[in-house]
Amino acid sequence: LSNSAEADYSNVTQIQYDKDAEDVIVIDRVVDSCRYVRLRTDKSYLIGKIDQLLLCDSFIVVIDKHIAQSILVFDYDGNFLNRISRLGNGPGEYLIINHVAINDRKEVCILDNAKERITIFDINGKMIESKHLPFRGKSLEYLGNNNLLFRVENCYAEVGYKEIERSSFVLTEMNGNIIYTFGDDHSYRNPSYQSYSDNIYKYDGRLYGRLDHGNLVYEFDKDSVIGRFELSLKNDKLYS
């Protein structure tokens, strides 16, 4: 089975935050440019709600998980290009869209817990491969070098994968082989820090994650987990 990774806490940066302070963030300090793209839709490919938005060099992938239950591809002029897979129980179809990621080859990876699978398509919608997963993932992100990081649901794993039952993150190769597991929301629990949003974030080419109940942000790579940031609150209570 996989190895359980231990985090390196030797270089953690503390971030002081006062949620009652009336600080104003000037957008120009964090955003270089802003562009509006009007997506052209019709009744055959409507969007009910944008749950995920993935941007690549020449196309935009729009994920509507719950209303249209669709994955749609547009160009940067807003023109509809194609649909990725569809709702159904047949080969290459999905029952649930839990999360979507794009790898270095601009392939679309769909996480479907109902089928306990991750299915990979090219950007034109052609299925490349489908892999069974021995765990249930909440979300996923492409790490690079053919590796995927999953935020997993505690307390579920197939027989023979008991280590995953107590884990919060699982790093795998694209073929599904598990490299390592990390974290346990039951052991790291801090009731003052609770997150209801996605727990994996990609920023500036690096991949970060946090536990549901914890104030530490970790950086993940293929060989290690590093504690990067510690959130310190003035009144020690935050719900995000």
Side-chain angles (χ1 to χ4, degrees):
L1 187 59
S2 61
N3 295 318
S4 179
E6 296 291 335
D8 177 3
Y9 298 101
S10 62
N11 192 24
V12 177
T13 300
Q14 189 175 77
I15 299 175
Q16 297 284 343
Y17 176 73
D18 181 1
K19 74 181 186 69
D20 297 320
E22 297 182 359
D23 292 336
V24 176
I25 298 176
V26 180
I27 296 298
D28 288 347
R29 295 178 182 175
V30 294
V31 176
D32 293 327
S33 63
C34 181
R35 178 181 177 184
Y36 294 92
V37 178
R38 182 178 180 180
L39 302 178
R40 295 175 172 86
T41 61
D42 66 23
K43 62 181 180 180
S44 63
Y45 47 89
L46 293 174
I47 300 171
K49 177 186 177 184
I50 298 178
D51 295 294
Q52 273 187 268
L53 190 66
L54 305 178
L55 306 179
C56 292
D57 295 338
S58 59
F59 56 84
I60 303 169
V61 181
V62 178
I63 299 100
D64 181 345
K65 298 180 181 180
H66 305 294
I67 300 177
Q69 296 178 284
S70 298
I71 303 171
L72 307 176
V73 183
F74 297 83
D75 64 22
Y76 274 87
D77 292 322
N79 300 310
F80 173 74
L81 299 179
N82 57 273
R83 185 189 306 269
I84 303 292
S85 188
R86 63 180 179 178
L87 186 68
N89 201 26
E93 298 175 335
Y94 52 79
L95 292 175
I96 297 174
I97 305 172
N98 289 98
H99 212 78
V100 180
I102 296 178
N103 64 20
D104 286 344
R105 296 186 294 274
K106 306 299 186 291
E107 296 166 346
V108 179
C109 310
I110 304 175
L111 174 63
D112 181 354
N113 276 341
K115 287 189 171 183
E116 298 179 351
R117 305 193 73 82
I118 177 171
T119 307
I120 303 172
F121 299 83
D122 68 18
I123 197 60
N124 298 312
K126 179 182 178 181
M127 189 181 79
I128 298 172
E129 61 180 335
S130 183
K131 297 290 185 182
H132 171 71
L133 296 173
F135 54 84
R136 290 176 183 158
K138 293 182 179 180
S139 58
L140 79 158
E141 186 56 79
Y142 183 69
L143 181 60
N145 298 316
N146 287 320
N147 297 319
L148 287 167
L149 181 67
F150 293 85
R151 182 66 170 88
V152 301
E153 295 184 9
N154 294 104
C155 305
Y156 174 82
E158 292 181 355
V159 176
Y161 294 86
K162 293 298 182 182
E163 186 178 2
I164 298 177
E165 288 187 356
R166 303 291 296 184
S167 299
S168 300
F169 296 92
V170 177
L171 183 70
T172 75
E173 298 174 340
M174 289 294 293
N175 60 15
N177 292 333
I178 298 173
I179 299 173
Y180 66 70
T181 63
F182 173 74
D184 179 357
D185 268 321
H186 300 281
S187 298
Y188 290 71
R189 185 176 297 274
N190 183 333
S192 296
Y193 299 82
Q194 184 169 350
S195 174
Y196 296 100
S197 57
D198 291 335
N199 297 74
I200 303 177
Y201 311 89
K202 180 173 281 188
Y203 178 75
D204 197 23
R206 298 183 178 185
L207 201 57
Y208 300 93
R210 57 168 294 194
L211 303 175
D212 285 340
H213 303 274
N215 61 330
L216 283 168
V217 177
Y218 300 91
E219 180 182 345
F220 295 86
D221 63 27
K222 181 179 179 181
D223 302 311
S224 63
V225 180
I226 303 170
R228 283 299 187 203
F229 306 102
E230 180 183 12
L231 182 61
S232 179
L233 305 180
K234 181 179 179 180
N235 60 2
D236 200 37
K237 194 165 189 176
L238 173 69
Y239 299 97
S240 59

